[in-house]
Amino acid sequence: MTVWSYLEVAWADVLERFVEHLVLVTLSIILATAVGVLVGIVVYRSGFATETAMTVTNMLYTVPSLSYFVLVTPWLGIGTAPVLLIVVIYALLPIVRNAITGLQEVDPAVVKSAAAMGMTLAQQLARIELPLAWPVILAGIRVSTVLTAGMATIGGYVEGPGLGYLLFNALKAIGTPRAIPQAIVAIVCIVAVALLLDGALRGIGKFTTGRGLR
């Protein structure tokens, strides 16, 4: 069986899994960005809090995915919910790291000037620090997106959505004519999801980043 002959009989399933994977990764990145940037905002002014946040996110990232499934499936069952939660956890590290780095690298003189103009801390953050840190934050989001496109295949463990289903079926079918074409199709689709979302983020960056910060 070739890749083309496999697609002739399974294109509808592949398309459905591709869309599921795209939605899963997109939603995971949106949630991880919201949490990660919030964590960065809370901790970036404190060295101790920064170290604690980075230690925790590093630890969360190094825990094997199967361990997470053992912990969360008794509460969330199988399917989309546990997969989404675990993928968000894995997506946090680059976003938290870059949010903290970006905010800490804002020129203190600019912040002091804003304070001298009477801006509150919240105004300084919203109008000065976050816009200046945004290119660094966005770089972290892009890294996380590419990593998450591959990491989201863990959903195949628990009958979750996405292209992991095709990969795990190909693994089970090793030795049959279908295994290699199915695996190749799944891999190409995962790469396509990563490139599509990275391109979208690159476009967002052009519209949301000042010309002098690009």
Side-chain angles (χ1 to χ4, degrees):
M1 176 179 280
T2 66
V3 169
W4 302 115
S5 60
Y6 169 74
L7 285 174
E8 285 178 359
V9 298
W11 69 269
D13 187 37
V14 171
L15 180 61
E16 179 182 358
R17 294 292 174 173
F18 178 86
V19 173
E20 288 178 353
H21 204 83
L22 182 64
V23 172
L24 174 63
V25 175
T26 302
L27 185 56
S28 299
I29 291 300
I30 290 172
L31 293 174
T33 298
V35 174
V37 174
L38 179 60
V39 169
I41 290 171
V42 170
V43 306
Y44 81 102
R45 294 179 186 275
S46 166
F48 175 77
T50 294
E51 288 298 322
T52 301
M54 290 308 306
T55 299
V56 170
T57 50
N58 273 292
M59 290 174 59
L60 291 174
Y61 190 84
T62 57
V63 174
S65 57
L66 285 176
S67 301
Y68 281 125
F69 282 125
V70 171
L71 294 173
V72 304
T73 49
W75 306 95
L76 299 177
I78 61 176
T80 302
V83 176
L84 180 61
L85 174 61
I86 294 168
V87 173
V88 168
I89 289 172
Y90 281 123
L92 281 174
L93 178 59
I95 299 174
V96 171
R97 181 186 60 209
N98 279 41
I100 293 172
T101 300
L103 288 167
Q104 289 180 338
E105 288 182 349
V106 173
D107 189 346
V110 177
V111 178
K112 289 179 180 179
S113 297
M117 293 171 61
M119 287 188 182
T120 65
L121 289 177
Q123 290 173 328
Q124 294 170 35
L125 179 66
R127 297 182 185 180
I128 305 296
E129 294 173 287
L130 280 176
L132 291 175
W134 174 241
V136 178
I137 296 172
L138 183 61
I141 295 171
R142 289 179 62 183
V143 170
S144 185
T145 298
V146 174
L147 293 174
T148 300
M151 187 62 68
T153 57
I154 61 175
Y157 285 140
V158 290
E159 301 178 14
L163 293 160
Y165 171 84
L166 299 182
L167 283 178
F168 281 96
N169 270 6
L171 184 62
K172 294 175 184 177
I174 287 178
T176 69
R178 172 174 61 87
I180 293 178
Q182 187 175 34
I184 291 173
V185 168
I187 292 168
V188 170
C189 288
I190 292 166
V191 172
V193 168
L195 293 176
L196 181 62
L197 291 178
D198 186 61
L201 288 170
R202 190 183 303 115
I204 291 172
K206 289 181 180 179
F207 285 104
T208 58
T209 304
R211 186 171 299 177
L213 296 175
R214 293 177 190 172

